[in-house]
């Protein structure tokens, strides 16, 4: 058996036929090739893909009509191809199929590929696009209309539990890298004809599939149109992850705060779509984007709606308190010890100073050393092999912290502060917010070293002013706190009972502001007296 690629063999045989033909035969052969749609498509595909190893081009004969089969071996499901196309009955002559007309080709497709989702295209560019998306193409010499049938490779990661947003109670499925599966996970939760998905192809080289999803008759059409416009205006060479899309579509503002909410949980996306937000699904990544995003979104977990509202409210307050601990505690420690020691009770101050008696560094340097050491350990734990990463990070933190304290480089209280701060940083349900607080914490620490608690307060005022200036697709980032909306406070710092949250967020200006009809909690029936006697 020869090792030549199929398209090389076809080209060689065609060349030999031309060399052995007579002059009259050559003229007719040239005329036939020039008028042959298969020959023109083959040459265009060869010029587009070159000598790539996964391009397959095979001669076929269907219903007494000659043609060719084109597909990329790496992009299609071969087992499905064999079941659908390579079945013997597909190639059996059928006299009632007239493949020389458009109507005849359509009749053939309806009978042979009726459930396979076929497409009839007329240009070579469309054929190339369909092949790259996992389709195979059948071209006939008799008529310039090409059959494209989508059979993308199904060797994908299966739906598993979320890795970055785990919950105790709630759905355990998460998005995967295939956008078709992600759309299915959302559609399974919202069985409503008003759920819309729109497709875009972004990236001059990658042509990455990007979808936006929203609820028609609920979502604000102006926001939907703004999302469409920003996606359409993207002009880059490649898109590989939703983070690339996030940087390109959010408001151009120098900020460390995330202006788009990212999640790998389908239930979170479905719930936010019903609230009136727009989701962005990018093929090749399990993380979807939700816009517009406001600051309070990053303190809300989907699990809050699966527990009793009292427990959910308590946990949500814990998240807000943890955010303030991460920001303030290390810098407040530096400011108090450096400039405001009189604020500390005398007994506590004596113990703190006794521990710091042999420490050779000032408080600000001590805190920065420990913060950077912990960041190194955390990053090493993430990048190292999973089998040893967690062990190295935990053991490394304990050993280094204890050794540094015994050596007199840092105080024991400093180890406690860094541990509390690091633990509180992981309370945030979304990683992008915890990454922002890490940067802000490192900014506030040297400010506290120069200006004390006044510097910390000044830094917080500047941060709040900066948050108030941010916008996410025209929506104020601090909404519904600033501007204040009383009616939207039922699901911000605390969560009201599920039957009490009737309205969608007013800052989204949805077409349908009422989410559910007015109802109340069930009351127990009147106790009936026992039967007499």
């Amino acid at each position: 058996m020869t090792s030549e690629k199929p398209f090389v063999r076809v080209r060689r045989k065609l060349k030999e036929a031309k060399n052995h033909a007579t002059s009259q035969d050559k003229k007719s052969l040239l005329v036939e090739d020039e008028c042959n749609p298969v020959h023109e498509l083959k040459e265009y595909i060869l010029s587009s893909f070159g000598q790539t190893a996964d391009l397959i081009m095979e001669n076929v004969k269907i219903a007494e009509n000659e043609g060719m089969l084109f597909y990329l071996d790496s992009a299609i499901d071969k087992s499905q191809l064999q079941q659908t196309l390579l079945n013997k009955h597909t190639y059996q002559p059928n006299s009632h199929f007239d493949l020389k007309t458009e109507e005849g080709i359509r009749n053939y497709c309806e009978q042979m590929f009726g459930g396979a989702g076929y497409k009839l295209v007329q240009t070579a560019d469309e054929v190339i696009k369909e092949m790259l998306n996992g389709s195979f193409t059948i071209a006939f010499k008799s008529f310039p209309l090409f059959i494209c049938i989508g059979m993308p490779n199904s060797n994908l990661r299966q739906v598993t539990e979320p890795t970055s947003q785990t919950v105790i109670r709630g759905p355990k499925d998460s998005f995967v890298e295939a956008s078709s599966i992600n759309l299915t996970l959302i559609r399974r939760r919202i069985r409503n004809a008003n759920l819309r998905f729109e497709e875009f192809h972004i990236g001059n080289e990658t042509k990455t599939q990007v979808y936006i999803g929203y609820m028609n008759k609920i979502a604000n059409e102006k926001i939907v149109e703004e999302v469409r416009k920003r996606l359409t205006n993207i002009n880059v060479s490649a898109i590989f992850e939703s983070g690339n899309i996030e940087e390109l579509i959010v408001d151009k503002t120098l900020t460390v705060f995330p202006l788009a909410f990212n999640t790998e949980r389908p239930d979170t996306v479905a719930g936010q779509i019903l609230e009136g937000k727009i989701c962005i699904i990018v093929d090749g990544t399990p993380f979807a984007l939700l816009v517009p995003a406001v600051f309070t979104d990053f303190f809300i977990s989907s699990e809050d709606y699966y527990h009793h509202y009292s427990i959910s409210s308590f946990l949500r307050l814990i998240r807000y308190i943890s955010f303030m601990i991460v920001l303030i505690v290390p810098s407040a420690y530096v400011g108090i010890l450096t400039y405001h020691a009189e604020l500390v009770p005398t007994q506590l101050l004596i113990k703190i100073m006794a521990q710091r008696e042999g420490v050779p560094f000032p408080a600000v340097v001590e805190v920065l050393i420990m913060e950077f050491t912990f960041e190194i350990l955390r990053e090493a734990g993430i990048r190292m092999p999973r089998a040893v990463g967690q062990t190295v990070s935990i053991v490394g933190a304990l050993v280094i912290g204890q050794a540094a304290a015994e050596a007199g480089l840092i105080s024991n209280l400093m180890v406690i502060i860094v541990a509390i701060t690091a633990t509180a940083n992981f309370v945030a349900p979304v990683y992008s917010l915890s990454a922002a607080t890490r940067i802000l914490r490192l900014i506030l620490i040297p400010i506290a070293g120069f200006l004390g608690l006044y510097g910390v307060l000044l830094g917080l005022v500047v941060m709040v002013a900066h948050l108030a200036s941010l916008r996410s697709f025209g929506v104020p980032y601090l909404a519904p706190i600033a501007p204040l909306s009383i009616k939207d406070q039922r699901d911000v710092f605390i969560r009201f009972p599920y039957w009490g949250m009737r309205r969608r967020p007013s800052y989204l200006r949805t077409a349908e502001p009422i989410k559910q009809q007015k109802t109340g909690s069930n009351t127990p029936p009147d106790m009936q007296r026992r039967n007499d006697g």
Side-chain angles (χ1 to χ4, degrees):
M1 177 181 287
T2 178
S3 61
E4 292 178 307
K5 301 291 185 298
F7 59 83
V8 177
R9 294 198 299 269
V10 172
R11 178 181 286 179
R12 179 174 54 79
K13 291 180 180 179
L14 183 62
K15 186 176 180 181
E16 291 176 356
K18 290 183 178 180
N19 291 336
H20 290 86
T22 62
S23 59
Q24 186 66 26
D25 294 335
K26 289 180 180 180
K27 292 180 181 179
S28 61
L29 186 59
L30 287 173
V31 172
E32 182 182 356
D33 286 339
E34 291 176 357
C35 300
N36 187 352
V38 175
H39 174 74
E40 295 178 0
L41 179 61
K42 177 174 69 69
E43 292 298 327
Y44 188 84
I45 291 177
L46 286 174
S47 65
S48 299
F49 288 104
Q51 300 290 331
T52 180
D54 57 345
L55 176 62
I56 306 298
M57 306 170 67
E58 298 178 351
N59 291 317
V60 294
K61 190 172 184 180
I62 300 176
E64 301 298 335
N65 289 270
E66 294 182 355
M68 287 199 74
L69 178 66
F70 306 90
Y71 62 91
L72 292 173
D73 189 50
S74 59
I76 69 165
D77 188 344
K78 288 193 237 180
S79 61
Q80 192 176 1
L81 174 67
Q82 293 175 355
Q83 295 175 2
T84 303
L85 183 66
L86 302 184
N87 205 325
K88 290 184 179 180
H89 79 275
T90 306
Y91 292 103
Q92 288 179 357
N94 264 317
S95 57
H96 64 278
F97 285 137
D98 181 13
L99 300 182
K100 297 181 180 179
T101 62
E102 180 177 351
E103 183 180 358
I105 292 179
R106 290 187 182 277
N107 291 335
Y108 168 75
C109 292
E110 289 175 1
Q111 291 199 27
M112 293 299 179
F113 312 115
Y118 67 90
K119 279 186 181 179
L120 297 179
V121 299
Q122 296 180 340
T123 64
D125 288 331
E126 291 178 295
V127 172
I128 296 292
K129 177 182 175 182
E130 293 298 329
M131 290 175 63
L132 290 171
N133 288 333
S135 298
F136 69 85
T137 300
I138 304 174
F140 298 107
K141 293 182 179 180
S142 56
F143 195 80
L145 195 64
F146 312 120
I147 306 171
C148 296
I149 303 174
M151 290 186 180
N153 199 326
S154 59
N155 295 327
L156 303 169
R157 184 170 67 93
Q158 299 300 314
V159 177
T160 57
E161 291 190 24
T163 57
S164 62
Q165 297 173 342
T166 57
V167 296
I168 298 176
R169 179 179 180 179
K172 299 294 184 179
D173 56 346
S174 67
F175 288 133
V176 295
E177 285 73 15
S179 57
S180 58
I181 297 178
N182 296 340
L183 299 183
T184 302
L185 293 174
I186 299 174
R187 180 73 71 174
R188 182 186 299 172
R189 288 169 167 82
I190 306 177
R191 292 182 171 90
N192 193 316
N194 288 323
L195 178 60
R196 302 282 193 270
F197 291 111
E198 298 180 12
E199 182 180 4
F200 299 82
H201 290 86
I202 303 177
N204 299 329
E205 306 297 337
T206 59
K207 306 295 182 185
T208 306
Q209 289 179 314
V210 178
Y211 297 87
I212 64 171
Y214 60 94
M215 286 296 293
N216 189 36
K217 299 180 181 179
I218 292 180
N220 189 327
E221 185 57 37
K222 291 183 179 179
I223 299 179
V224 175
E225 183 59 33
E226 182 66 20
V227 174
R228 288 196 199 105
K229 185 179 75 172
R230 295 191 185 188
L231 288 176
T232 305
N233 291 338
I234 294 177
N235 185 17
V236 294
S237 61
I239 294 293
F240 295 108
E241 218 275 336
S242 58
N244 304 140
I245 296 291
E246 181 179 355
E247 287 191 25
L248 294 168
I249 66 172
V250 297
D251 297 59
K252 298 298 184 292
T253 306
L254 183 60
T255 182
V256 296
F257 291 98
L259 298 179
F261 187 91
N262 69 85
T263 179
E264 59 176 339
R265 297 190 58 85
D267 57 330
T268 299
V269 172
Q272 293 296 314
I273 288 177
L274 292 176
E275 292 289 330
K277 295 190 177 182
I278 297 95
C279 78
I280 301 175
I281 306 290
V282 181
D283 189 49
T285 175
F287 288 91
L289 299 177
L290 286 165
V291 293
V294 295
F295 182 66
T296 56
D297 287 342
F298 298 92
F299 296 91
I300 298 174
S301 172
S302 59
E303 192 176 11
D304 292 348
Y305 303 99
Y306 308 141
H307 290 294
H308 192 268
Y309 63 90
S310 59
I311 299 298
S312 300
S313 300
F314 172 73
L315 295 177
R316 194 171 294 182
L317 291 175
I318 290 293
R319 297 184 193 121
Y320 284 102
I321 295 173
S322 299
F323 174 75
M324 298 307 298
I325 289 175
V326 172
L327 281 181
I328 297 176
V329 169
S331 55
Y333 171 81
V334 172
I336 290 174
L337 289 187
T338 307
Y339 297 101
H340 311 284
E342 66 278 4
L343 296 178
V344 182
T346 304
Q347 294 295 328
L348 178 60
L349 181 62
I350 292 174
K351 291 184 179 180
I352 293 175
M353 299 310 295
Q355 292 180 5
R356 288 188 46 80
E357 184 176 357
V359 177
F361 306 111
V364 61
V365 176
E366 179 187 13
V367 173
L368 288 175
I369 289 175
M370 286 303 298
E371 288 291 343
F372 279 110
T373 302
F374 180 78
E375 292 297 331
I376 293 172
L377 290 173
R378 174 158 54 181
E379 196 67 17
I382 295 174
R383 307 303 168 195
M384 292 187 70
R386 186 172 299 177
V388 297
Q390 186 175 3
T391 303
V392 170
S393 61
I394 295 176
V395 174
L398 293 175
V399 172
I400 292 176
Q402 182 178 358
E406 292 179 354
L409 298 178
I410 61 173
S411 63
N412 292 325
L413 181 60
M414 186 68 255
V415 177
I416 296 174
I417 290 176
V418 171
I420 292 175
T421 304
T423 305
N425 199 26
F426 288 110
V427 175
V430 183
Y431 178 78
S432 55
L433 179 64
S434 63
T437 55
R438 289 157 63 184
I439 298 175
L440 292 173
R441 184 173 72 246
L442 294 177
I443 294 175
L444 288 176
I445 290 172
I447 294 177
F450 284 104
L451 301 176
L453 293 181
Y454 300 106
V456 177
L457 181 60
L458 179 62
L460 293 177
V461 170
V462 172
M463 183 193 74
V464 173
H466 172 68
L467 288 172
S469 68
L470 295 178
R471 296 290 185 274
S472 178
F473 289 84
V475 175
Y477 195 58
L478 285 183
I481 303 172
L484 180 64
S485 176
I486 300 298
K487 58 186 176 182
D488 289 338
Q489 300 302 315
R490 298 187 176 191
D491 193 23
V492 180
F493 296 104
I494 61 173
R495 180 178 82 79
F496 272 44
Y498 204 72
W499 46 263
M501 297 185 294
R502 297 182 51 244
R503 305 180 67 89
R504 295 184 172 90
S506 60
Y507 57 82
L508 293 176
R509 300 185 181 277
T510 56
E512 181 56 53
I514 302 300
K515 180 168 58 175
Q516 59 190 14
Q517 297 300 320
K518 186 176 181 180
T519 183
S521 61
N522 295 319
T523 55
D526 295 334
M527 296 294 295
Q528 295 183 0
R529 297 179 179 180
R530 297 180 180 179
N531 295 330
D532 294 335

